[in-house]
Amino acid sequence: MGYYDDHSPANQRQKGRRRFVMPTIVGVVLGAVLVLLALPALVQTNILPYNITPNEQQSAEDGGTPNEDPAQTVELDVTSQITKVVEEVSPAVVGVINLQSQQNFWEQRGDPEQAGAGSGVIYKKEDGTAYVVTNYHVIEGASEIEVVLSDGTRKKAQLVGGDVFTDLAVLKMSSENVKKVAEFGSSDNLQVGEPAIAIGNPLGLRFAGSVTKGIISGKQRAIPQDFNGDGQKDWQSEVIQTDAAINPGNSGGALINIEGQVIGINSMKIAQSAVEGIGFAIPIETVKPIIAELEQYGQVNRAFIGIEAYSLSQVPTSEWRNTLNLPEDVNGGLYIRSITRMSPADKVGLEPLDVITAVDGEPVEDIIDLRKYLYKQKDPGDEMEITYYRDGEKNTVTVTLGSQQ
């Protein structure tokens, strides 16, 4: 019969291991508790290069497990050149409200109602009056105009003058509460790719003072304009292209450079669903002389001859020979549809169906060519030589230009 030998070597080794394991487990547990309790103090003394977030510290104190991806507290100075210039310029950008009186069934006019809204830029303050530049289409047809300052103050404004060709208008109002006047820069030395910032009121005053940032995408872009909706191009505007978002309501707002100077007045946007990031602004070098003339005269005085004319390209070539009797060597020009009575053209004997091919020896193909030459090269009172065809015969006549009212 066998017996248990408590003093055998094997039993002695098992007892030794048991005595060793228990203190080890107790030591590990105590060490972990001490580390958890001491960790916040170690971090605060910068012995450990680690920040414990409030959630992580609470978890440690509660005996829980910290998040595997803890959010760390980060201190960041977000002030930049852009935020500084926006803060500086924004008070000079205002809302412009177009109010129009509506006729009722009895042809009586009621109180003016808002017909549209846009933006404007305060550019001058003197003798108790502040001046605002905006787009002509923003205030077109208005019976009353209100300006809304950046602090929400509403002020009655008066139209000083407007110009449909450049899409510019000048307003004036009391300078009370006006704290900031924008500084004009230069659009002549712009570089494609440099930063551009647009400030305005997209989609109305709900989003007043909105700021968008982009770059100068192109300079001297030519955009055809149809003013009367007849499908014919009446003018060609030269504008700055930017990818800073410009939406309805931004019209008349400021396009500024990184120095906070106004380099353009936002005007147009290609409104097509397939087009993104293409906005336009009137260069400030175009704006300066126009607003000066609007302030002085209430209108832009341009040379005028008094004709309604259309490009030969709109006439079937068969009519060139059969109706207009043009020679084979005439390849382009513009034909006169009508003449204003007592105008310079009427006084020198021009007639409907005459075909103008050149002015001062410069070829003209359409009404835009003629207007650009008149408005950029000529002044009221100047003389201009017109080359034209009548019944197949080439003629020249010198006209003294009038002033467009």
Side-chain angles (χ1 to χ4, degrees), residues 66-371:
N67 295 331
E68 293 182 0
D69 185 17
Q72 298 188 21
T73 303
V74 178
E75 293 185 3
L76 178 63
D77 183 4
V78 297
T79 303
S80 67
Q81 180 70 11
I82 292 176
T83 60
K84 289 178 181 177
V85 299
V86 168
E87 183 180 9
E88 182 72 16
V89 178
S90 288
V93 180
V94 298
V96 178
I97 309 298
N98 182 325
L99 299 171
Q100 297 184 13
S101 299
Q102 305 296 325
Q103 277 190 333
N104 59 24
F105 179 78
W106 307 105
E107 296 187 354
Q108 295 177 332
R109 291 191 175 274
D111 293 333
E113 298 178 1
Q114 180 172 323
S119 307
V121 179
I122 303 172
Y123 68 90
K124 186 169 75 169
K125 184 170 68 169
E126 64 179 18
D127 299 329
T129 300
Y131 292 83
V132 176
V133 58
T134 185
N135 285 149
Y136 177 81
H137 74 262
V138 169
I139 53 83
E140 187 174 14
S143 54
E144 293 183 18
I145 301 171
E146 281 188 354
V147 168
V148 183
L149 303 182
S150 59
D151 63 2
T153 302
R154 288 180 175 252
K155 305 176 75 69
K156 293 287 186 182
Q158 178 184 346
L159 176 64
V160 175
D163 181 54
V164 65
F165 286 97
T166 55
D167 195 25
L168 292 171
V170 170
L171 314 175
K172 67 179 182 179
M173 62 186 182
S174 166
S175 63
E176 186 180 0
N177 299 118
V178 173
K179 300 176 181 178
K180 179 65 181 176
V181 173
E183 176 188 353
F184 285 167
S186 173
S187 54
D188 285 345
N189 56 1
L190 291 178
Q191 299 294 318
V192 173
E194 73 171 84
I197 305 163
I199 306 177
N201 308 311
L203 308 180
L205 297 178
R206 287 179 55 201
F207 302 102
S210 292
V211 178
T212 56
K213 182 179 78 71
I215 61 171
I216 300 297
S217 304
K219 303 187 298 180
Q220 297 179 330
R221 299 299 199 207
I223 307 297
Q225 301 291 295
D226 176 13
F227 299 128
N228 53 15
D230 63 356
Q232 307 300 322
K233 304 307 179 186
D234 300 305
W235 185 242
Q236 191 165 267
S237 300
E238 291 185 0
V239 293
I240 301 168
Q241 179 187 337
T242 178
D243 67 346
I246 298 175
N247 296 286
N250 272 117
S251 290
L255 186 70
I256 65 175
N257 60 20
I258 200 65
E259 301 297 328
Q261 299 170 326
V262 179
I263 55 174
I265 300 299
N266 301 325
S267 182
M268 295 166 287
K269 186 179 190 301
I270 295 180
Q272 298 178 10
S273 58
V275 176
E276 291 292 338
I278 300 182
F280 299 102
I282 306 165
I284 203 64
E285 299 301 343
T286 299
V287 174
K288 291 174 185 177
I290 295 297
I291 62 176
E293 198 159 354
L294 291 176
E295 278 188 49
Q296 186 173 0
Y297 302 109
Q299 63 181 23
V300 177
N301 294 311
R302 294 190 173 96
F304 165 77
I305 60 175
I307 63 172
E308 179 187 5
Y310 293 88
S311 173
L312 282 178
S313 62
Q314 300 172 237
V315 180
T317 53
S318 59
E319 297 299 319
W320 291 23
R321 315 293 177 234
N322 299 334
T323 302
L324 301 176
N325 298 318
L326 292 174
E328 294 286 343
D329 60 348
V330 174
N331 299 314
L334 61 157
Y335 73 96
I336 299 175
R337 175 176 290 183
S338 65
I339 294 179
T340 303
R341 290 192 60 188
M342 302 304 295
S343 67
D346 188 35
K347 291 177 181 178
V348 296
L350 289 174
E351 299 177 359
L353 298 185
D354 286 348
V355 176
I356 298 174
T357 57
V359 290
D360 288 339
E362 297 289 334
V364 290
E365 298 286 337
D366 54 34
I367 193 64
I368 294 177
D369 287 343
L370 178 60
R371 283 176 174 157

